[in-house]
Amino acid sequence: MTQGHPPPGHADPRRYGAPPPPAQPVPWGPPPPPRSRRGLWIGLAAGALALAVCAGTAVGVGLGLRGDDEDGSAPKAAAGANGVTVTDAELTALLDRHSKALAAKDLDGYLAAFDPARKELIAGQTQLFHNLAKLPLSVARYETIEKQGRVSDAFGQGVTFQLDVSFVHQLDGFDLAPVAEWYRWTIVRAGKDAPIQVTAVTGAPAGGNGDSKTVYYPGPWDKWREIHVERTPYALIITDAARADLARRYAPAVDKSVTSNLAVWRANAPPEPVSDKFVVTLAAGKDEMTSLYRIGTEKATEAGYSVGMVAAERKDGKNTIGGTRIVVDTRDRYFTRSGGDNDAHMVLRHEIAHSLMTPRTDPAAVDEFSKLDEWVVEGFAEYIAFHGRPLAASERTAPALQLVRTGWNGTLPSNGDWQKSGLLTFHYWLGHTAMTHLAEKHGEPKLFRFVEAVYAGAPTDRAARDVLGVSLDEFQAGWADYVRELAG
């Protein structure tokens, strides 16, 4: 799951995979296509953090403006009687006015940047303005990332170029620090004395990452004509206003899932969670899931995922995680069938487990983190999702035990094999049993310490030696015996 994960799905997401269809004796369905560990889907779900870091670094330190330098030769050449140019100072002033208009709830001022003749654009920006007004924003400002294209013309022909803009924002009480969503504005100045106008808006990619399509775009506020925001003691639930009833219906399940996870966390005395409130978006179908908080090009296949958001500014010279976003598919069978705790609660607890761990990641260790062992990340989320319940409560257990009995090599699944055809759900179960065995043998406090060490960038073998006092090979051997004993 990514952190979208499949329950029992990214970072980046960790993602919750679908369960096997009824009566199917092996892990369900074809597995989702391989996902890049370099995209922001890791939720960290955990691979997406690399892209997030790419984006966060760019925002945190400020990218240079590609295109004509306002002090360079091209703008000077355009400064003649008929020349047309757009300076960096003008662009900064434009974004400053836009930010102030949003803060002042001044719709006319907010729309002043956009070409009034573009009716569809004006309608979209108007709905965005009203949607943003529904969010508890303690920070909301627009900043330049970079510009691309010619910003000057010496012959008075006008200029058109792209300006990548960072929407720096913080959801009060939910984000630890401001995060950034990237837009790409098309800027036009038709003539020397013409105003600067925005004629199109879309998402902007992180130029340094080839897997990036956009950076956290679109948010729910961009996607839906009108959003509904349901505030609970532990969550900010966002969905299409047409599905406000679903937000109200699932609000108790979200809060129950949060409080259940926090109880497990606090009972095992790790450092306090950095946040006890979460942002949850309710999507309708995989297409909606795929498009929300977009970074990579991967197609969502899971019931839910958690996305880690890199902070827009560095802290003490380092990148940090500013917050997380959980997305669930309310059309997935986990949400539509009449089950029990194997359903919505389980998906929510799995994703919240990812979101609890994600902020504890050090993006400076991104190389190590991009190699984070899936069996640790997904196994921990599964363990928390089913905490206090036997392994038999997981739909993965029965088909997994069949595979163990028919021939299994007794090894922890590698990242390369994680999504191997037909075995994805089996690998989730193996991760789950690894965490269960670890907790039974070494105690839950050490389980948390071990997982935290891995998230912080420690190689899994070193984390095992430092926290558990055994090598990874020794742990694996004991766990393999445990699994075979389960299979009888």
Side-chain angles (χ1 to χ4, degrees):
M1 308 180 56
T2 237
Q3 260 176 26
H5 11 235
H10 183 321
D12 156 141
R14 288 332 17 190
R15 301 171 181 113
Y16 207 88
Q24 183 169 326
V26 294
W28 58 79
R35 299 182 183 282
S36 168
R37 299 284 298 173
R38 305 297 297 173
L40 268 187
W41 281 103
I42 90 184
L44 284 203
L49 181 55
L51 172 53
V53 170
C54 177
T57 301
V59 175
V61 302
L63 287 181
L65 298 180
R66 291 203 303 244
D68 295 331
D69 183 340
E70 67 178 61
D71 295 322
S73 58
K76 291 178 180 178
N82 297 317
V84 178
T85 192
V86 177
T87 68
D88 293 347
E90 288 179 300
L91 295 174
T92 299
L94 176 72
L95 295 179
D96 184 56
R97 291 192 298 270
H98 199 58
S99 301
K100 289 178 178 177
L102 178 61
K105 302 186 185 303
D106 173 11
L107 176 59
D108 290 340
Y110 189 81
L111 296 177
F114 305 99
D115 182 355
R118 312 266 177 162
K119 301 304 182 184
E120 187 174 342
L121 174 64
I122 294 298
Q125 294 302 308
T126 299
Q127 77 181 39
L128 174 59
F129 176 87
H130 290 308
N131 281 339
L132 292 176
K134 297 182 179 183
L135 300 174
L137 292 168
S138 56
V139 174
R141 66 178 184 271
Y142 294 85
E143 298 178 348
T144 292
I145 301 171
E146 61 183 359
K147 62 181 183 241
Q148 300 173 59
R150 295 184 64 252
V151 300
S152 298
D153 185 273
F155 304 101
Q157 299 300 307
V159 294
T160 300
F161 60 95
Q162 276 68 52
L163 178 70
D164 287 356
V165 173
S166 172
F167 174 46
V168 179
H169 59 284
Q170 182 171 6
L171 296 174
D172 190 29
F174 298 90
D175 291 333
L176 304 171
V179 298
E181 175 187 11
W182 290 16
Y183 293 98
R184 175 160 289 176
W185 287 5
T186 298
I187 303 288
V188 173
R189 171 166 272 170
K192 182 176 181 180
D193 298 321
I196 300 171
Q197 292 185 325
V198 181
T199 61
V201 176
T202 185
N209 189 298
D211 291 335
S212 171
K213 182 175 181 180
T214 61
V215 176
Y216 303 126
Y217 171 92
W221 39 88
D222 305 291
K223 184 169 188 61
W224 292 312
R225 182 183 303 275
E226 182 182 358
I227 61 171
H228 173 78
V229 177
E230 189 77 14
R231 187 79 176 261
T232 77
Y234 293 97
L236 191 72
I237 304 173
I238 308 172
T239 193
D240 188 336
R243 300 196 296 272
D245 60 323
L246 284 180
R248 289 187 283 268
R249 182 191 310 171
Y250 286 115
V254 172
D255 275 5
K256 179 181 177 181
S257 299
V258 173
T259 54
S260 296
N261 281 19
L262 291 176
V264 178
W265 187 285
R266 289 167 175 153
N268 292 286
E272 273 298 292
V274 288
S275 177
D276 61 0
K277 295 180 175 64
F278 303 89
V279 181
V280 179
T281 300
L282 306 183
K286 306 309 181 203
D287 288 343
E288 280 198 353
M289 286 188 71
T290 296
S291 66
L292 285 163
Y293 308 112
R294 183 74 172 186
I295 291 189
T297 58
E298 299 162 333
K299 175 74 174 179
T301 59
E302 48 282 329
Y305 60 77
S306 168
V307 177
M309 310 279 286
V310 174
E313 299 173 351
R314 293 173 183 250
K315 181 179 181 181
D316 299 327
K318 297 175 61 178
N319 287 312
T320 60
I321 301 299
T324 66
R325 303 288 184 263
I326 293 169
V327 183
V328 297
D329 175 12
T330 57
R331 291 184 180 173
D332 190 274
R333 64 192 297 259
Y334 281 107
F335 289 85
T336 59
R337 67 184 181 183
S338 57
D341 285 340
N342 266 356
D343 293 339
H345 282 100
M346 183 268 294
V347 177
L348 290 165
R349 290 191 66 176
H350 183 113
E351 302 308 330
I352 291 165
H354 284 309
S355 288
L356 276 167
M357 275 296 178
T358 295
R360 315 185 81 79
T361 306
D362 179 2
V366 64
D367 288 341
E368 290 81 3
F369 184 75
S370 67
K371 301 171 187 173
L372 209 70
D373 280 331
E374 293 277 8
W375 69 266
V376 176
V377 175
E378 296 300 347
F380 174 77
E382 284 290 272
Y383 178 83
I384 298 300
F386 287 94
H387 190 271
R389 304 170 65 205
L391 278 168
S394 171
E395 293 177 311
R396 304 184 194 277
T397 298
L401 290 175
Q402 282 191 16
L403 290 177
V404 173
R405 295 184 190 109
T406 56
W408 168 60
N409 62 10
T411 62
L412 292 159
S414 68
N415 286 353
D417 289 336
W418 185 256
Q419 299 196 57
K420 189 174 181 179
S421 179
L423 294 178
L424 178 62
T425 188
F426 180 53
H427 291 159
Y428 270 95
W429 184 83
L430 291 178
H432 186 178
T433 58
M435 294 297 111
T436 302
H437 172 64
L438 193 161
E440 291 180 359
K441 185 173 179 62
H442 299 279
E444 281 194 332
K446 284 195 174 182
L447 180 152
F448 276 85
R449 286 174 52 202
F450 170 76
V451 175
E452 281 193 299
V454 173
Y455 262 83
T460 308
D461 182 65
R462 191 176 76 202
R465 292 178 183 277
D466 291 349
V467 177
L468 309 179
V470 298
S471 69
L472 185 59
D473 286 342
E474 290 172 307
F475 171 80
Q476 179 174 255
W479 161 76
D481 289 342
Y482 168 80
V483 170
R484 290 190 172 105
E485 184 176 343
L486 290 173

